[in-house]
């Protein structure tokens, strides 16, 4: 009898309860409930019988069974570069020849492609053909370019101490990015000598580990080539060196060049209680060739990596019903580290998207998205009440807050209808008065754009980190997650009775769930859920950091008050626990606590205990998201 391949991490429903398959041990299937603290162990034959009879139903596949993209998240930098190289070659073949390489054109093709990719050791015909066949047979799935070894065993990336990394960047900036143009090896000698000198004053057990020359070179390679060329050769030479690629930006191909930017919309919006909230921020992805909007995000989040990542997933997901969409081949973004993080870089490498950073002071490099912003203001926002106009002079006596009439959700719905129902159907002067959707349909028949399933995009957009599981919970950024298999992972991670860090995958654009890698089997991932699901649903890391900033103590008087409150509270607890003792003992304890304070602080303590704000119940000192004010951010 043929049996179904059941994978650890999958979700099954038995009766009215949903379980996670948390392990397979000695011919037993171990199930843990998602809703209740309940677990079941079924013999393999009974498990298979219930499954074949339809009494045990698969409701969600394991992450590694949904997509191979999970293996990409933990590749070393070298393997990611190898993967990116393979994907670049097979994509070039697909764009040039389709799915078959004509041997008579191979020599000319490989020379041009290797030169474009700066590849000194291009693949042979047989090697490239093997990559192309695997790509074609997998329906153009990028994971086909991962080797079998990468899927069986994922190598953990070596980490460099933050202080060492800071020193490395300082020496690169001061010694390598200079007009004298020293070699990488000579700059590495300066770096390694600096660490050797520090080690002279440190005991043997505190010695600093010195990164290798290759680690140093990799950090240099992370710097944008234009930045390196400008610092070492001058701006004029750098511009000339990178001028050659501009003609590629306007080829007749969808998604070949796209532009992305953020702008605050000139309109005030309301919350659900009709109170004015403020300006929303719009981030669209514009396809340069067709002028179509591939995807967009309209929220109160200003420009950041999480917002960009969310928009890319909206554009590249096959789950959306929009006709227009696809992942960019080249994406021009704003200059600045706030627009790039690990998740966005990993997402771009897996999908083959080349991120081009717009140099400061060159708005013409993103002329198409800037033009779209003007169209939004002139043709979409023009008739909506609550417009703020672009300047006080133009606004005059118009009361934008009083005239505001739409909530953010209402504005989103109107914008979606306008983009797909009006903007895409109107003639555009930049494409000879053709409608963007008309040009899109024509080119899409020749070469369809690339989209992925929703789970794959969510997987490759995750960052990895190490965390120790405490009390069956994973804690990061001041938030916590848990799940039915988390206690099991915690037990597996122990070494000599002490828990060790486990690898955690999280999406910085959505902190509602995380994935935890099995310490013993790198192909198994367990899902963990937010302990505050209503708060963390679709919450980005950027939004949460803004909220935490609002909750910080910025006034030294408040810090002083906090300390006094805690002392008084602890003293109250001690008094309550010793009621059976004499009144003299209570007084002596109170005097002991007061000795910790100055005379002024003692007076403050007495006045505080007499105030209505004094509370006697025990509270946790750690940060609590339920203390956030309700008048700040609409998430």
């Amino acid at each position: 009898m043929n049996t179904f391949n059941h994978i650890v991490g999958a979700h099954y429903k038995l009766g009215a309860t949903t379980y996670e398959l948390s392990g397979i041990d000695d011919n037993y299937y171990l199930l843990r409930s998602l809703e209740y603290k309940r677990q079941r162990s079924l013999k393999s034959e009974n498990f298979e019988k219930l499954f074949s009879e339809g009494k045990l139903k698969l409701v969600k596949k394991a992450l590694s069974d949904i997509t191979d993209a999970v293996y990409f998240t933990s590749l070393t930098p070298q393997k990611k570069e190898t993967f990116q190289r393979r994907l670049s070659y097979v994509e070039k073949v697909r764009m040039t020849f389709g799915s078959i390489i004509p041997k008579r054109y191979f020599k000319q093709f490989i020379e041009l492609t290797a030169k474009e990719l700066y590849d000194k050791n291009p693949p042979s015909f047989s090697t490239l053909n093997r990559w192309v066949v695997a790509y074609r047979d997998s329906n153009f799935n990028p994971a086909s370019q991962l080797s079998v070894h990468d899927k069986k065993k994922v190598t953990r990336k070596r980490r460099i101490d933050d202080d060492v990394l800071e020193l490395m960047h300082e020496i690169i900036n001061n010694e390598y990015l200079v007009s004298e143009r020293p070699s990488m090896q000579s700059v590495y000698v300066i770096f390694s000598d600096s660490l050797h000198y520090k080690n002279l004053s440190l005991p043997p057990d505190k010695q600093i580990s010195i990164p290798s020359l290759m680690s140093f070179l990799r950090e240099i390679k992370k710097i944008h080539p234009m930045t390196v060329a400008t610092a070492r050769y001058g701006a004029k030479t750098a511009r000339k060196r990178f001028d050659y690629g501009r003609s590629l930006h306007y080829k007749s191909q969808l998604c070949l060049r796209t532009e992305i930017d953020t702008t605050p919309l000139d309109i005030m919006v309301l919350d659900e209680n009709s109170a004015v909230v403020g300006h929303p921020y719009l981030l669209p992805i514009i396809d340069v060739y067709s002028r179509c909007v591939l995807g967009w995000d309209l929220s109160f989040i200003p420009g950041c990596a999480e917002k960009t990542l969310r928009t890319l997933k909206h554009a590249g997901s096959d789950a959306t019903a929009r006709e227009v969409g696809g992942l960019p081949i080249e994406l021009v973004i704003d200059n600045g580290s706030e627009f790039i993080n690990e998740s966005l870089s990993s997402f771009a490498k897996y999908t083959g998207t080349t991120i081009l950073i717009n140099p400061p002071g060159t708005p013409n490099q993103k002329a198409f998205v800037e033009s779209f912003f003007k169209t939004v203001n002139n043709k979409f926002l023009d008739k909506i009440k609550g417009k703020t106009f672009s300047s006080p002079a133009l606004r005059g006596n118009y009361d934008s807050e009083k005239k505001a009439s739409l909530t953010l959700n209402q504005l989103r719905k109107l914008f979606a209808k306008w983009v797909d129902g009006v903007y895409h159907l109107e003639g555009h002067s930049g494409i000879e008065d053709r409608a963007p959707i008309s040009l899109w349909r024509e080119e899409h028949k020749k070469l369809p754009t690339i989209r992925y399933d929703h789970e794959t995009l969510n997987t490759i957009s995750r960052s990895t980190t190490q965390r120790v599981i405490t009390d069956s919970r994973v804690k990061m950024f001041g938030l916590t997650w848990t799940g039915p298999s988390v206690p099991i992972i915690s037990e597996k991670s122990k070494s000599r009775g002490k828990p060790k860090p486990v690898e955690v995958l999280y999406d910085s654009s959505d902190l509602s769930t995380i994935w935890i890698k099995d310490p013993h089997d790198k192909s198994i991932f367990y899902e963990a859920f937010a302990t505050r699901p209503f708060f963390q649903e679709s919450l980005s890391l950027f939004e949460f950091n803004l909220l935490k900033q609002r909750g910080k103590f910025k006034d030294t008087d408040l810090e002083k008050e906090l300390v006094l409150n805690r002392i008084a509270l602890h003293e109250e607890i001690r008094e309550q626990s010793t009621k059976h003792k004499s009144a003299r003992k209570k007084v002596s304890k109170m005097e002991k606590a007061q000795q910790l304070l100055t005379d002024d602080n003692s007076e403050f303590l007495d006045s505080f205990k007499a105030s209505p704000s004094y509370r006697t119940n025990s509270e946790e000192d750690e940060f609590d998201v339920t203390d956030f004010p309700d008048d700040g951010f609409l998430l």
Side-chain angles (χ1 to χ4, degrees):
M1 180 179 68
N2 295 328
T3 58
F4 184 81
N5 184 27
H6 302 283
I7 300 177
V8 172
H11 294 178
Y12 295 85
K13 191 168 187 178
L14 182 61
T17 307
T18 303
Y19 295 90
E20 181 180 64
L21 180 58
S22 59
I24 303 175
D25 185 27
D26 294 333
N27 294 321
Y28 277 88
Y29 286 79
L30 310 178
L31 301 171
R32 292 177 67 87
S33 171
L34 294 178
E35 295 92 0
Y36 314 105
K37 293 182 179 180
R38 181 186 305 169
Q39 60 182 10
R40 303 187 64 166
S41 299
L42 295 175
K43 286 187 177 181
S44 57
E45 55 266 28
N46 294 335
F47 188 95
E48 292 291 351
K49 182 180 179 182
L50 290 172
F51 185 76
S52 61
E53 292 175 352
K55 297 179 181 178
L56 182 69
K57 298 179 180 179
L58 177 67
V59 294
K60 186 175 183 179
K61 292 183 177 181
L63 181 62
S64 57
D65 195 27
I66 295 173
T67 172
D68 287 334
V70 66
Y71 300 107
F72 178 79
T73 58
S74 299
L75 290 181
T76 62
Q78 295 94 329
K79 289 185 177 181
K80 285 186 178 181
E81 289 179 6
T82 300
F83 169 82
Q84 181 65 37
R85 173 175 171 264
R86 291 185 178 185
L87 190 60
S88 298
Y89 273 106
V90 296
E91 263 299 301
K92 196 71 177 179
V93 170
R94 187 181 80 92
M95 292 163 52
T96 307
F97 303 115
S99 57
I100 300 175
I101 311 173
K103 197 165 186 177
R104 63 182 179 274
Y105 297 127
F106 173 74
K107 184 177 180 180
Q108 180 183 5
F109 168 79
I110 204 68
E111 287 178 355
L112 293 174
T113 306
K115 185 177 180 180
E116 183 179 331
L117 299 176
Y118 299 102
D119 188 5
K120 295 181 180 180
N121 298 303
S124 64
F125 175 80
S126 58
T127 299
L128 182 57
N129 189 60
R130 187 171 69 252
W131 296 350
V132 171
V133 169
Y135 195 47
R136 179 193 64 204
D137 292 347
S138 66
N139 196 23
F140 305 108
N141 184 357
S144 64
Q145 302 307 304
L146 293 169
S147 66
V148 177
H149 176 75
D150 293 331
K151 296 182 181 182
K152 287 184 177 179
K153 183 179 180 180
V154 179
T155 306
R156 181 174 295 176
K157 183 174 69 173
R158 183 183 176 186
R159 299 177 65 88
I160 301 176
D161 186 83
D162 290 340
D163 293 337
V164 176
L165 198 60
E166 183 179 350
L167 176 63
M168 185 186 296
H169 290 165
E170 180 182 343
I171 290 178
I172 289 173
N173 289 331
N174 297 334
E175 303 294 340
Y176 181 72
L177 299 179
V178 292
S179 57
E180 288 75 16
R181 300 196 289 275
S183 66
M184 296 181 184
Q185 289 81 358
S186 64
V187 178
Y188 174 73
V189 171
I190 298 174
F191 167 70
S192 59
D193 286 349
S194 300
L195 292 180
H196 279 301
Y197 181 76
K198 284 190 174 183
N199 282 335
L200 293 177
S201 59
L202 297 175
D205 59 333
K206 300 291 185 179
Q207 293 286 299
I208 300 173
S209 178
I210 300 177
S212 66
L213 173 62
M214 291 307 299
S215 297
F216 187 79
L217 299 184
R218 278 194 296 271
E219 287 301 314
I220 292 179
K221 292 296 183 183
K222 291 178 182 178
I223 306 172
H224 195 274
M226 186 71 178
T227 303
V228 176
T230 302
R232 290 170 64 87
Y233 297 93
K236 185 176 180 180
T237 303
R239 284 194 298 268
K240 185 177 180 180
R241 175 178 293 185
F242 288 91
D243 254 357
Y244 77 97
R246 288 185 176 176
S247 61
L248 296 176
H249 297 160
Y250 306 101
K251 282 185 177 180
S252 57
Q253 182 181 336
L254 300 177
C255 299
L256 180 59
R257 178 183 170 92
T258 59
E259 296 177 0
I260 191 169
D261 201 1
T262 308
T263 186
L265 291 185
D266 292 335
I267 190 171
M268 303 296 287
V269 296
L270 309 172
D271 63 14
E272 300 302 328
N273 298 319
S274 298
V276 175
V277 181
H279 292 275
Y281 291 84
L282 172 65
L283 186 146
I285 303 178
I286 303 297
D287 175 48
V288 169
Y289 179 66
S290 68
R291 308 299 198 271
C292 284
V293 181
L294 300 179
W296 53 272
D297 181 87
L298 183 56
S299 63
F300 289 111
I301 311 175
C304 61
E306 288 84 0
K307 191 178 183 78
T308 302
L309 188 60
R310 186 181 295 179
T311 310
L312 282 170
K313 290 194 288 186
H314 177 238
S317 174
D318 60 5
T320 178
R322 297 182 70 234
E323 179 180 0
V324 173
L327 288 168
I329 298 173
E330 288 183 357
L331 179 66
V332 182
I333 68 171
D334 266 336
N335 180 63
S337 58
E338 66 271 18
F339 291 97
I340 294 289
N341 66 2
E342 180 186 348
S343 299
L344 184 56
S345 299
S346 178
F347 185 96
K349 287 180 180 179
Y350 184 87
T351 59
T353 299
T354 301
I355 295 180
L356 304 176
I357 300 178
N358 189 41
T362 56
N364 58 313
Q365 295 292 316
K366 293 195 281 74
F368 299 97
V369 69
E370 296 292 344
S371 175
F372 177 73
F373 289 149
K374 293 180 182 177
T375 303
V376 171
N377 276 322
N378 295 333
K379 295 187 176 182
F380 172 64
L381 296 178
D382 191 48
K383 297 179 178 61
I384 298 179
K385 293 182 178 180
K387 188 176 179 181
T388 58
F389 301 90
S390 57
S391 68
L394 292 175
R395 185 166 60 249
N397 295 325
Y398 185 82
D399 192 339
S400 303
E401 294 189 7
K402 187 176 181 180
K403 297 285 187 179
S405 59
L406 297 177
T407 64
L408 180 61
N409 284 333
Q410 290 172 334
L411 185 64
R412 283 172 176 162
K413 292 177 181 179
L414 290 176
F415 183 75
K417 291 180 179 180
W418 176 79
V419 168
D420 292 332
V422 178
Y423 171 77
H424 282 164
L425 274 61
E426 285 185 333
H428 197 293
S429 59
I431 49 177
E432 300 177 352
D433 289 326
R434 295 188 62 183
I437 193 65
S438 173
L439 189 55
W440 177 274
R441 290 168 179 168
E442 180 181 303
E443 293 299 324
H444 198 268
K445 291 179 181 178
K446 300 176 185 178
L447 187 64
T449 57
I450 298 175
R451 294 189 184 187
Y452 297 105
D453 62 272
H454 185 66
E455 289 294 342
T456 296
L457 293 179
N458 279 340
T459 300
I460 62 178
S461 63
R462 292 183 181 272
S463 300
T464 58
T465 188
Q466 300 285 325
R467 285 293 185 273
V468 174
I469 298 175
T470 306
D471 297 329
S472 300
R473 293 187 176 190
V474 175
K475 185 173 183 179
M476 297 187 300
F477 319 121
L479 299 171
T480 54
W481 294 260
T482 189
S485 296
V486 174
I488 296 177
I489 306 170
S490 178
E491 191 65 29
K492 285 185 177 182
S493 70
K494 289 183 179 179
S495 176
R496 297 181 180 179
K498 294 183 178 180
K500 296 293 182 181
V502 296
E503 189 165 350
V504 178
L505 278 67
Y506 67 93
D507 184 354
S508 59
S509 67
D510 185 356
L511 298 176
S512 58
T513 62
I514 60 173
W515 291 92
I516 309 172
K517 184 180 290 186
D518 191 295
H520 299 155
D521 191 336
K522 304 299 183 183
S523 65
I524 297 177
F525 293 80
Y526 300 89
E527 190 172 13
F529 309 93
T531 55
R532 294 185 175 97
F534 295 106
F535 175 74
Q536 291 175 229
E537 182 67 30
S538 300
L539 177 71
S540 72
L541 183 58
F542 182 87
E543 292 169 305
F544 183 63
N545 285 334
L546 288 179
L547 289 174
K548 285 205 297 185
Q549 288 175 9
R550 286 177 61 87
K552 285 182 178 178
F553 290 101
K554 298 181 180 179
D555 193 323
T556 54
D557 290 336
L558 289 179
E559 292 179 343
K560 174 182 175 181
E561 181 179 349
L562 176 63
V563 173
L564 296 174
N565 289 358
R566 285 177 177 169
I567 293 174
L569 178 63
H570 294 163
E571 183 61 30
E572 180 73 13
I573 294 173
R574 292 171 64 186
E575 287 180 355
Q576 293 295 330
S577 64
T578 56
K579 282 185 177 180
H580 63 283
K581 295 183 179 181
S582 65
R584 179 59 191 162
K585 289 185 178 180
K586 291 183 181 179
V587 172
S588 65
K589 287 181 180 180
M590 192 62 180
E591 292 174 348
K592 188 175 182 180
Q594 290 176 345
Q595 290 175 3
L596 298 175
L597 308 174
T598 63
D599 294 338
D600 292 339
N601 288 348
S602 299
E603 293 177 3
F604 176 84
L605 178 61
D606 294 337
S607 62
F608 165 72
K609 293 183 68 175
S611 67
S613 63
Y614 176 56
R615 293 173 292 180
T616 58
N617 59 304
S618 178
E619 296 177 348
E620 292 184 350
D621 292 337
E622 65 177 5
F623 173 74
D624 190 344
V625 294
T626 59
D627 292 334
F628 288 144
D630 294 329
D631 60 347
F633 299 86
L634 183 61
L635 306 176

